[in-house]
Amino acid sequence: MNKVSLNGVEIFPFDSEQQLLSFVNKHKGILVAINAEKILHATEQTQAIINRNIGYCDGAGAQIALKQKGYKEACKIPGCELWLKIVAQFYQEKTFYLVGGKPQVIKETVEKLQNEFKGIKIIGFRDGYLRSEEEKQQLIADMADKKPDVVFVAMGSPKQELLMEEIQKKHKAIFQGLGGSFDVYTGHVERAPKWWVDHNLEFLYRLIREPKRIKRQIHLLKYAYWLAFKKL
């Protein structure tokens, strides 16, 4: 499958969740969510991280741009849903390792997964607060020893991607960066209701709930301009 470049950010135009799951199961690697903000604010570092890994469409802005490029079937795959689809697809056959969130949040995440996916093999987990280089190296060594099939890291970008790339040098797996998905999964953070998500208005819901986000989201007007005049 060929990648598509959007403002220098390369993304795979998957047409379904199943296509993505089949691809990553075969090729392994690091899944990186791509939305309008990441395309708009791509730096040399973040662009390089995305382009050497598996960028997928996580938002309506990226999906619209892909369709403008001729990929009419390109689908939006929210990262906060994708990781649970990966669990549902593979929990009976693969092993999992989770990193991220506060100590209480990661504990609740593991307990909830064990309740919802009976028999899931979680062979390691820890919070997202790596306080020293020694702690980080201990984590990498533990993964290299236990060899999980799937690794989820919820620490925010680009920190989570940089960590996954370090781990990948010692151990190949399916990796996904999750940002704040553990907080959403355990109910510590509320996601937008389904209607807002289905109508591609999740960003507006979050803005209404957190007006201070306007400083970030005002820049999306530039992205809308790029879409309107097909400048991507």
Side-chain angles (χ1 to χ4, degrees):
M1 177 181 290
N2 294 324
K3 294 182 179 181
V4 181
S5 180
L6 302 174
N7 193 35
V9 173
E10 296 176 357
I11 182 170
F12 283 90
F14 296 112
D15 59 26
S16 67
E17 291 171 345
Q18 193 56 51
Q19 186 184 44
L20 183 157
L21 292 172
S22 298
F23 181 90
V24 76
N25 188 39
K26 182 177 179 180
H27 299 281
K28 295 188 170 55
I30 300 171
L31 289 161
V32 184
I34 308 300
N35 57 23
E37 282 192 78
K38 284 188 179 176
I39 295 169
L40 182 63
H41 299 305
T43 65
E44 189 173 325
Q45 181 196 41
T46 59
Q47 193 178 94
I49 291 170
I50 294 166
N51 293 353
R52 60 182 174 250
N53 293 298
I54 306 170
Y56 67 93
C57 178
D58 174 68
Q63 182 186 33
I64 293 169
L66 286 174
K67 290 186 175 184
Q68 286 186 348
K69 294 277 188 178
Y71 295 88
K72 302 300 183 184
E73 302 303 316
C75 69
K76 180 181 70 170
I77 308 171
C80 61
E81 298 174 8
L82 175 60
W83 77 283
L84 291 172
K85 299 288 176 62
I86 291 173
V87 172
Q89 176 95 354
F90 299 122
Y91 80 96
Q92 293 178 319
E93 61 187 84
K94 296 188 185 298
T95 56
F96 297 81
Y97 202 118
L98 284 68
V99 180
K102 296 177 181 177
Q104 183 62 28
V105 170
I106 189 65
K107 183 174 179 289
E108 291 176 13
T109 298
V110 170
E111 290 173 352
K112 187 173 179 180
L113 287 170
Q114 290 171 333
N115 286 330
E116 292 188 349
F117 302 94
K118 299 299 183 183
I120 185 173
K121 293 178 278 293
I122 298 174
I123 59 175
F125 67 91
R126 65 151 295 153
D127 63 61
Y129 297 88
L130 298 173
R131 297 163 185 84
S132 66
E133 181 65 22
E134 182 182 3
E135 279 195 28
K136 183 173 72 172
Q137 292 306 320
Q138 287 174 348
L139 172 63
I140 294 172
D142 192 45
M143 285 202 204
D145 178 57
K146 292 179 177 176
K147 295 178 170 54
D149 299 307
V150 181
V151 178
F152 296 123
V153 181
M155 297 171 72
S157 294
K159 188 176 181 180
Q160 61 193 15
E161 283 79 25
L162 293 171
L163 175 60
M164 289 186 288
E165 288 193 324
E166 280 199 61
I167 298 168
Q168 192 179 46
K169 292 175 183 176
K170 301 288 186 180
H171 171 64
K172 302 295 184 185
I174 296 171
F175 292 87
Q176 185 186 354
L178 300 183
S181 292
F182 292 162
D183 295 284
V184 175
Y185 182 60
T186 54
H188 289 273
V189 172
E190 181 188 5
R191 192 185 176 197
K194 188 175 184 298
W195 184 90
W196 296 79
V197 175
D198 290 346
H199 290 80
N200 296 323
L201 294 173
E202 191 168 4
F203 75 95
L204 182 58
Y205 179 84
R206 293 171 71 184
L207 178 60
I208 293 170
R209 296 295 299 270
E210 300 176 64
K212 64 182 180 181
R213 292 177 66 88
I214 189 65
K215 292 180 181 179
R216 285 176 55 188
Q217 295 190 351
I218 194 68
H219 296 289
L220 293 177
L221 290 174
K222 181 178 179 180
Y223 189 84
Y225 169 80
W226 285 356
L227 287 179
F229 292 93
K230 300 183 178 179
K231 291 183 174 291
L232 284 164

